[in-house]
Amino acid sequence: VLSGCGVYDGTEIHEASAVLVHLSRGGAEVQMYAPDVPQMHVIDHSKGQPAEAESRNVLVESARIARGKISSLAKLTTAEHDAVIFPGGFGAAKNLSTFAVDGKDCKVNREVERVLKDFHKAGKPIGLCCISPVLAAKVLSGAEVTVGHEEEEGGKWPYAGTAGAIKELGAKHCVKEVASASAVFSLTPLYEAHVDTKNKVVTTPAFMCETALHHIFDGIGAMVKNVLKLTGK
């Protein structure tokens, strides 16, 4: 499920690509969806500032990542799918929810909420990375998720405050690395994802951490691998 195209006002493109590569490697058949709604706003990514005169549609922008093969989120049903995955990017907090503005008092897009509740009720796994675990924290009471660390640690975890908001939403936050410190120097690195086995929710920090791109990519791989494992297929 995508939320636009571009880290500051939509889906984080590297995260979406990583999810798709790992799903492909895992032999999964993929269908992409996005809500057919206006974006909260449009960011000029070259300046990091809002483009005041512009407006864009989340589904239309997400189609850039999907190479045109995308459907409205209203058409997504649990009966036709084994799992659902939400990449991160500020779009998850701006277009799929109002978390970027309202924090713990946020509202979740009604189709996003429906999908999360439907998959949870059906006992089918839900994967989320970066900021998108806030969606599960808001919708699925008592879920266990991770957005990484709970302290900024000199800028390594610039969005660490999100962990506090997750707790205020009634979810449990579990501290995780993108890659364990020892694993960075290992021939067989250990990339981390948190698996809430009760709720079948799998999360990983991704770009919540300031680290090398390949660590982000492989951390997302750990999330995808666990999602696929939970499908039992």
Side-chain angles (χ1 to χ4, degrees):
V1 176
L2 304 179
S3 62
C5 182
V7 57
Y8 296 121
D9 59 9
T11 300
E12 210 300 319
I13 298 170
H14 297 293
E15 290 181 9
S17 180
V19 168
L20 291 169
V21 169
H22 288 296
L23 284 171
S24 176
R25 184 170 287 145
E29 182 179 344
V30 177
Q31 173 64 50
M32 282 174 270
Y33 297 88
D36 188 0
V37 296
Q39 291 185 185
M40 173 184 153
H41 59 190
V42 177
I43 297 293
D44 179 340
H45 282 66
S46 70
K47 299 176 181 178
Q49 299 175 352
E52 301 293 350
E54 288 193 50
S55 63
R56 298 185 186 182
N57 177 278
V58 174
L59 177 60
V60 172
E61 292 303 298
S62 297
R64 295 175 180 271
I65 297 173
R67 297 171 64 87
K69 297 178 181 179
I70 194 166
S71 301
S72 170
L73 187 59
K75 297 181 180 179
L76 173 54
T77 65
T78 55
E80 298 177 342
H81 300 83
D82 299 309
V84 64
I85 293 179
F86 292 79
F90 279 82
K94 293 179 177 180
N95 303 328
L96 303 188
S97 72
T98 63
F99 182 80
V101 176
D102 300 323
K104 67 180 179 62
D105 298 316
C106 67
K107 295 180 180 179
V108 175
N109 171 279
R110 64 181 183 179
E111 291 296 338
V112 172
E113 183 173 2
R114 175 188 64 81
V115 167
L116 288 168
K117 286 182 175 179
D118 284 356
F119 273 81
H120 182 255
K121 184 178 180 180
K124 294 184 175 182
I126 300 166
L128 311 103
C129 62
C130 195
I131 191 69
S132 67
V134 300
L135 302 172
K138 176 67 176 182
V139 174
L140 306 178
S141 180
E144 296 179 2
V145 300
T146 188
V147 289
H149 281 211
E150 299 179 357
E151 302 292 337
E152 291 189 16
E153 299 177 21
K156 182 179 180 181
W157 297 91
Y159 311 108
T162 305
I166 283 172
K167 294 177 184 177
E168 290 182 294
L169 287 169
K172 179 181 178 181
H173 182 260
C174 303
V175 174
K176 291 286 181 178
E177 306 285 347
V178 173
S180 63
S182 60
V184 174
F185 304 100
S186 171
L187 294 176
T188 56
L190 174 64
Y191 292 95
E192 297 200 319
H194 181 72
V195 181
D196 177 351
T197 53
K198 178 182 177 181
N199 293 296
K200 291 191 176 181
V201 173
V202 187
T203 51
T204 194
F207 278 107
M208 297 298 277
C209 181
E210 289 290 336
T211 189
L213 181 58
H214 67 283
H215 293 317
I216 305 295
F217 182 89
D218 289 336
I220 289 172
M223 180 267 286
V224 171
K225 182 177 180 180
N226 279 285
V227 167
L228 294 177
K229 182 178 179 181
L230 286 173
T231 67
K233 295 188 174 183

